[in-house]
Amino acid sequence: MIRFYAPDINTTGLLPEGESGHAVRVLRHRPGDEVEAVDGSGTLYRCRLLDNNHRGAAVEIVERIPLPKVWKPYITVAVAPTKHADRMEWLVEKLVEIGIDRFVPLRCERSERKELKHDRIEKIAVSAMKQSLKAILPRIDDTMPLKQFLGECAVSSNQKFVGYCDADTPRRLLAKAYTTGSDVTLLIGPEGDFSPAEIKACLDARFTPVTMGDNRLRTETAALVAADTIHIANQIFS
Amino acid sequence: MIRFYAPDINTTGLLPEGESGHAVRVLRHRPGDEVEAVDGSGTLYRCRLLDNNHRGAAVEIVERIPLPKVWKPYITVAVAPTKHADRMEWLVEKLVEIGIDRFVPLRCERSERKELKHDRIEKIAVSAMKQSLKAILPRIDDTMPLKQFLGECAVSSNQKFVGYCDADTPRRLLAKAYTTGSDVTLLIGPEGDFSPAEIKACLDARFTPVTMGDNRLRTETAALVAADTIHIANQIFS
């Protein structure tokens, strides 16, 4: 069964406009039909359609089924967008599939792309959430300057790791440096790498420099592999 | 410096046609210029161009630098191609980046796509090999029927794991089932899942059913995460 995304369903009792149109006009649902919706906050709703308003279909909630996230730590992935937006869209899809909690696009000195379209990224995240049968949508930030993000991180108790190419700093293997069970912030540099000043700022904000192995990975691959490393390390030691 | 792919350079002393054209016509290299080439078998060649023949530029090999693979086990990934070829192309790029030894596209009962274009896939693999600074190209098989692949696997001493959606069989977590250091075959079912007969055939060929966690992953995501799990497990226990 197709699941709709209805973040406010519990208070409004409505499917949002886009989803209502899809339900009523495309799928031809009629009053009395059963539909399922997720709120992006961890609950699946079994509902019955009350009308066929394509701008906001009213539903009766039949059952609320909690679908909490299946991983324990809070995982934040912050990454400088790549030149080609499709590589970022792909990354967001895959991150949502494997499961993360927050995605932060960063503006760095050598960023090839200064901005990610938030609406487009969120749409991809919603689609990946539905497809992977989750009910939780990661928080997706607007693109923010690296400095602002580091300022925020300075007061966080997460384990913090930064991946970049400059080989002058000694780096640990993420799989070994991460303490399983810990909330974690993973920061991945842009295609042109961080500037020396940015690397210093990351170290000052107590990020540990890491590699994901002896491979040179593209930005989006590094971000996905880093997040996956957290999951696998937690699986191995659970 | 751009690296060329020249599988036969050691015997022919030539760059192949496509690479010669790129070197001579696009990059405007001239006799005497230094170029680098990899042979896909683990060696990087520092060369000097002897002529500017765009159909097969002759080179003098200045230095042979062994670039062995950075992971230990032999990793085979066999997967039924997805309906959309771009998802497979993406998968091959990422698998080559993180490092595998062999890629086998499979034809299954419920395969949405019966054939992958071998040339196109190899081209993507070559490009990912160059981009990730490797000198080893994974073996890429022609699409073969699942039955043929299982027949071949029956005599292999690899650890063998199969991932699929049908939840009737008890499954282990791949991260825990894999013995680090072992050569491994990872088999991932098609978007429409294996048929019951195919699952039985996999079990008969001594494949262990696994999951990559409590997430429903797309075919291409499952294949990448499975390969990555092998790397990370080996990193953690190295």
Side-chain angles (χ1 to χ4, degrees):
Chain A
M1 185 185 286
I2 285 189
R3 287 180 177 178
F4 299 100
Y5 173 51
D8 303 318
I9 192 169
N10 202 38
T11 47
T12 63
L14 296 173
L15 297 182
E17 181 161 346
E19 299 290 68
S20 296
H22 189 214
V24 168
R25 293 192 157 169
V26 181
L27 301 171
R28 301 264 159 206
H29 278 307
R30 290 290 166 262
D33 284 2
E34 256 206 26
V35 297
E36 284 185 359
V38 289
D39 64 0
S41 309
T43 304
L44 168 70
Y45 296 80
R46 287 188 44 235
C47 311
R48 195 164 293 124
L49 270 188
L50 295 176
D51 62 34
N52 57 357
N53 185 335
H54 66 88
R55 302 212 155 178
V59 297
E60 175 198 1
I61 295 172
V62 178
E63 191 182 0
R64 289 173 181 80
I65 302 168
L67 282 186
K69 67 177 194 167
V70 294
W71 62 99
K72 213 182 96 188
Y74 191 93
I75 303 173
T76 299
V77 176
V79 60
T82 51
K83 184 172 169 191
H84 296 287
D86 59 343
R87 292 187 173 272
M88 281 296 107
E89 295 175 1
W90 165 84
L91 171 63
V92 168
E93 177 184 296
K94 296 310 169 206
L95 286 174
V96 174
E97 275 185 68
I98 69 168
I100 63 159
D101 296 277
R102 184 181 171 199
F103 180 76
V104 188
L106 294 178
R107 206 172 301 122
C108 300
E109 273 183 51
R110 300 179 188 159
S111 286
E112 296 258 21
R113 168 178 294 274
K114 299 295 178 194
E115 209 70 47
L116 267 192
K117 284 183 189 153
H118 189 276
D119 287 0
R120 169 98 184 132
I121 291 294
E122 187 169 273
K123 206 171 156 185
I124 287 164
V126 165
S127 164
M129 169 185 70
K130 291 176 179 176
Q131 206 277 337
S132 61
L133 304 182
K134 293 185 179 65
I136 293 189
L137 188 70
R139 168 177 163 184
I140 296 171
D141 287 63
D142 287 322
T143 312
M144 70 170 78
L146 174 66
K147 199 177 163 184
Q148 179 184 338
F149 182 68
L150 291 179
E152 187 190 296
C153 289
V155 295
S156 151
S157 61
N158 285 9
Q159 272 204 287
K160 291 172 280 191
F161 299 105
V162 58
Y164 51 87
C165 300
D166 177 350
D168 288 348
T169 333
R171 288 171 291 176
R172 298 184 64 194
L173 200 56
L174 175 60
K176 294 206 170 197
Y178 171 66
T179 307
T180 54
S182 311
D183 294 340
V184 66
T185 301
L186 303 164
L187 171 53
I188 303 293
E191 284 160 317
D193 214 352
F194 289 122
S195 71
E198 286 176 332
I199 292 178
K200 183 173 178 305
C202 293
L203 300 180
D204 288 348
R206 297 179 164 276
F207 276 78
T208 303
V210 287
T211 72
M212 272 67 76
D214 294 323
N215 279 317
R216 188 175 77 164
L217 303 175
R218 283 179 180 275
T219 296
E220 76 277 11
T221 318
L224 183 67
V225 166
D228 201 36
T229 300
I230 303 305
H231 284 299
I232 295 167
N234 278 300
Q235 286 176 3
I236 287 178
F237 294 110
S238 67
Chain B
M1 185 184 285
I2 285 188
R3 287 180 177 178
F4 299 99
Y5 174 51
D8 303 318
I9 192 169
N10 202 38
T11 47
T12 63
L14 296 173
L15 297 182
E17 181 161 348
E19 299 290 66
S20 295
H22 190 214
V24 169
R25 292 191 158 170
V26 181
L27 301 172
R28 302 261 159 209
H29 278 306
R30 290 292 166 261
D33 284 2
E34 255 206 28
V35 297
E36 284 186 358
V38 289
D39 65 359
S41 309
T43 305
L44 168 69
Y45 296 81
R46 288 187 45 234
C47 312
R48 194 164 294 123
L49 269 189
L50 295 177
D51 61 35
N52 58 356
N53 186 335
H54 66 89
R55 302 211 156 179
V59 298
E60 175 198 1
I61 295 173
V62 178
E63 189 180 1
R64 289 171 180 80
I65 302 168
L67 282 187
K69 65 178 196 167
V70 295
W71 62 98
K72 212 182 94 187
Y74 191 94
I75 303 173
T76 300
V77 176
V79 59
T82 50
K83 185 172 170 189
H84 296 287
D86 59 342
R87 292 187 173 274
M88 280 296 108
E89 294 175 1
W90 165 84
L91 172 62
V92 169
E93 177 183 296
K94 296 312 170 204
L95 286 174
V96 174
E97 275 185 69
I98 69 167
I100 63 159
D101 296 277
R102 184 180 171 199
F103 179 76
V104 188
L106 295 177
R107 207 173 301 122
C108 300
E109 273 182 50
R110 299 180 188 158
S111 285
E112 295 258 21
R113 166 178 295 275
K114 299 294 176 193
E115 208 70 47
L116 266 191
K117 285 184 188 152
H118 189 276
D119 287 359
R120 170 99 182 129
I121 292 295
E122 187 171 271
K123 205 172 155 183
I124 287 164
V126 166
S127 164
M129 169 186 68
K130 292 176 179 176
Q131 206 276 334
S132 61
L133 305 183
K134 293 185 180 64
I136 293 190
L137 188 70
R139 167 176 163 184
I140 295 170
D141 287 62
D142 287 323
T143 312
M144 70 170 79
L146 174 65
K147 201 177 163 184
Q148 179 185 339
F149 182 68
L150 292 179
E152 187 190 298
C153 290
V155 294
S156 150
S157 61
N158 285 8
Q159 272 204 288
K160 290 171 281 190
F161 300 104
V162 58
Y164 51 87
C165 300
D166 176 350
D168 287 348
T169 332
R171 287 171 293 177
R172 298 184 63 193
L173 200 54
L174 175 60
K176 293 205 172 198
Y178 171 66
T179 307
T180 55
S182 310
D183 294 340
V184 65
T185 301
L186 303 164
L187 171 53
I188 303 294
E191 284 161 316
D193 214 351
F194 289 121
S195 71
E198 287 176 330
I199 292 178
K200 186 175 176 304
C202 293
L203 301 180
D204 288 347
R206 299 180 164 276
F207 275 78
T208 303
V210 288
T211 72
M212 271 67 75
D214 294 324
N215 279 316
R216 187 175 77 164
L217 302 176
R218 284 178 179 274
T219 297
E220 76 277 10
T221 319
L224 183 68
V225 166
D228 201 36
T229 301
I230 302 305
H231 283 298
I232 295 167
N234 278 302
Q235 287 176 3
I236 287 177
F237 294 110
S238 66

